[in-house]
Amino acid sequence: MKADHAQIERLLKTARGQIDGILKMVEEDRYCLDVSNQLMATQSILKKANRMVLRAHMDCCVREAVVSGSPEEKLEELKLLLDKLTD
Amino acid sequence: MKADHAQIERLLKTARGQIDGILKMVEEDRYCLDVSNQLMATQSILKKANRMVLRAHMDCCVREAVVSGSPEEKLEELKLLLDKLTD
Amino acid sequence: MKADHAQIERLLKTARGQIDGILKMVEEDRYCLDVSNQLMATQSILKKANRMVLRAHMDCCVREAVVSGSPEEKLEELKLLLDKLTD
Amino acid sequence: MKADHAQIERLLKTARGQIDGILKMVEEDRYCLDVSNQLMATQSILKKANRMVLRAHMDCCVREAVVSGSPEEKLEELKLLLDKLTD
């Protein structure tokens, strides 16, 4: 994976910490909307990590495949990804 | 634009017809959630048109740019697009 | 519909104008990503209109139903709406 | 929180397990799009948990507040939530 490993790991660990927090909230029977807000905040962190992963993928893997003259597979993958993201 | 023009035009005209329908619903003071449902249905149609436009863009413009040996601009655009779609 | 009619109509007419613009772009065979950007901009306008419609719905219809002592139907509708929005 | 605790906990633990898996993928320097796919799969699980939390919230908290004759706060919260979800 071409994105900065330390940054992605930091985001993942933050997300994991939040999930542990939500598990605790469930155990303590906290208020529905507080749980919901934390669930959405965790989704945002994963979204941010995904954005960084894809940005680096474009900059490295796709670019290299193009330069090396074998871009077919990468372009096909990107097409599937765009399809998924615009669904 | 590389997507099938007839198909995109059909979707756009359907969306426009729905917007005319919603304008009429507003005028007739129809129920909020009926208006909301039509607004969301129209968004779905535009989303579908966008998906088709991007699919064809990948198949044609991006592929051609790669084959022609000048993919830089296309790759940069795709990166911005992915950023927008994962925001 | 409880949202400000003039405001919603203005947004709908803007969206319709944009769709007419996109139809013209298709006819003129404009660049894929320019078409895509306009499609996403139009989606944003409809999204904004929907947000306003739902906000007013909460303030008026739901509140009135609650005050009048017959909130069941409204609550059921809201539940379905939340389901749809979080899907 | 009114949703089934066991079900929500199961989803949260699955999401946490996936995040651990993604951390391992990052460590092993796995392919960008495999990491991205797992990130999106984890988002889907959290989305599902959120949907269940909100559904139960509507069925219990909101309904009870309405029956008890003090729905104001709940309705205001729902309005903010809808705003967020349609943003």
Side-chain angles (χ1 to χ4, degrees):
Chain A
M1 194 204 60
K2 304 302 183 183
D4 184 280
H5 283 213
Q7 259 185 317
I8 299 296
E9 280 171 356
R10 200 161 40 243
L11 289 169
L12 286 168
K13 282 174 185 169
T14 304
R16 188 175 58 185
Q18 288 191 327
I19 290 179
D20 284 331
I22 305 172
L23 276 163
K24 203 155 175 295
M25 290 172 85
V26 172
E27 206 185 308
E28 294 169 351
D29 201 23
R30 295 275 294 279
Y31 182 45
C32 301
L33 293 190
D34 292 339
V35 174
S36 168
N37 274 324
Q38 282 307 103
L39 283 166
M40 290 191 276
T42 312
Q43 284 176 63
S44 291
I45 291 174
L46 296 176
K47 215 171 179 179
K48 188 180 172 189
N50 193 35
R51 197 158 53 238
M52 293 171 68
V53 168
L54 293 176
R55 218 179 273 172
H57 176 64
M58 289 299 301
D59 278 339
C60 301
C61 308
V62 177
R63 201 168 297 265
E64 281 166 23
V66 164
V67 170
S68 77
S70 315
E72 276 310 312
E73 196 189 338
K74 291 288 165 284
L75 295 182
E76 205 50 45
E77 285 172 353
L78 273 183
K79 203 178 130 190
L80 289 174
L81 177 66
L82 282 176
D83 243 52
K84 201 171 168 176
L85 291 174
T86 54
D87 191 19
Chain B
M1 196 205 59
K2 305 301 184 183
D4 185 281
H5 283 213
Q7 259 185 317
I8 299 297
E9 280 171 356
R10 198 160 42 240
L11 288 170
L12 286 168
K13 283 174 184 168
T14 304
R16 189 175 58 185
Q18 287 192 327
I19 289 179
D20 284 331
I22 305 172
L23 276 162
K24 201 153 178 297
M25 289 172 85
V26 173
E27 205 185 308
E28 294 168 351
D29 200 23
R30 295 274 295 277
Y31 182 44
C32 302
L33 293 190
D34 292 339
V35 174
S36 168
N37 274 324
Q38 282 308 102
L39 282 166
M40 290 191 276
T42 311
Q43 283 175 62
S44 290
I45 290 174
L46 296 176
K47 214 171 180 179
K48 189 180 172 188
N50 193 35
R51 197 157 54 239
M52 293 170 69
V53 168
L54 293 176
R55 217 179 274 170
H57 175 65
M58 289 299 300
D59 278 340
C60 301
C61 308
V62 177
R63 201 168 297 266
E64 281 166 23
V66 164
V67 169
S68 76
S70 315
E72 277 309 312
E73 194 189 341
K74 291 286 164 287
L75 295 183
E76 205 51 44
E77 286 172 353
L78 272 182
K79 205 179 129 190
L80 290 174
L81 176 67
L82 282 176
D83 244 51
K84 199 170 172 178
L85 291 173
T86 54
D87 191 19
Chain C
M1 196 204 59
K2 305 301 184 183
D4 185 281
H5 283 211
Q7 259 185 316
I8 299 296
E9 280 170 355
R10 198 159 44 238
L11 289 170
L12 286 168
K13 283 173 184 169
T14 304
R16 189 176 56 185
Q18 288 192 325
I19 290 179
D20 283 331
I22 305 171
L23 277 163
K24 201 153 177 295
M25 290 171 84
V26 172
E27 206 185 308
E28 295 168 351
D29 200 24
R30 294 275 294 279
Y31 182 44
C32 302
L33 293 190
D34 291 339
V35 174
S36 169
N37 274 324
Q38 282 307 103
L39 282 166
M40 290 191 277
T42 312
Q43 284 176 63
S44 290
I45 291 174
L46 296 176
K47 216 172 178 176
K48 188 178 172 189
N50 193 34
R51 196 157 55 240
M52 293 171 68
V53 168
L54 292 177
R55 217 179 273 171
H57 175 64
M58 289 299 301
D59 278 338
C60 301
C61 308
V62 177
R63 202 168 297 266
E64 281 165 24
V66 164
V67 169
S68 78
S70 315
E72 277 309 313
E73 196 188 340
K74 291 288 165 285
L75 295 184
E76 205 50 45
E77 285 173 352
L78 274 183
K79 204 178 129 189
L80 289 174
L81 177 66
L82 282 176
D83 244 53
K84 200 170 170 178
L85 291 173
T86 54
D87 190 21
Chain D
M1 195 204 60
K2 304 302 183 184
D4 185 281
H5 283 212
Q7 260 185 316
I8 299 297
E9 281 170 356
R10 200 161 40 242
L11 288 170
L12 287 168
K13 282 174 184 168
T14 304
R16 189 175 58 184
Q18 288 192 326
I19 289 178
D20 283 331
I22 304 172
L23 276 163
K24 204 156 174 296
M25 290 171 85
V26 172
E27 206 185 310
E28 295 169 349
D29 199 24
R30 295 274 295 278
Y31 182 45
C32 301
L33 293 190
D34 291 339
V35 174
S36 169
N37 274 324
Q38 281 307 104
L39 283 166
M40 291 191 277
T42 311
Q43 284 177 62
S44 291
I45 290 175
L46 295 177
K47 214 172 180 178
K48 188 180 172 189
N50 193 35
R51 197 158 53 238
M52 292 170 70
V53 168
L54 293 176
R55 217 179 274 171
H57 175 65
M58 288 299 301
D59 278 338
C60 300
C61 308
V62 177
R63 201 168 297 266
E64 280 166 24
V66 164
V67 169
S68 77
S70 315
E72 276 310 313
E73 196 189 338
K74 291 287 164 288
L75 295 183
E76 205 50 44
E77 285 172 354
L78 273 183
K79 204 179 131 191
L80 289 174
L81 177 67
L82 282 176
D83 243 51
K84 200 170 169 178
L85 291 173
T86 53
D87 190 20

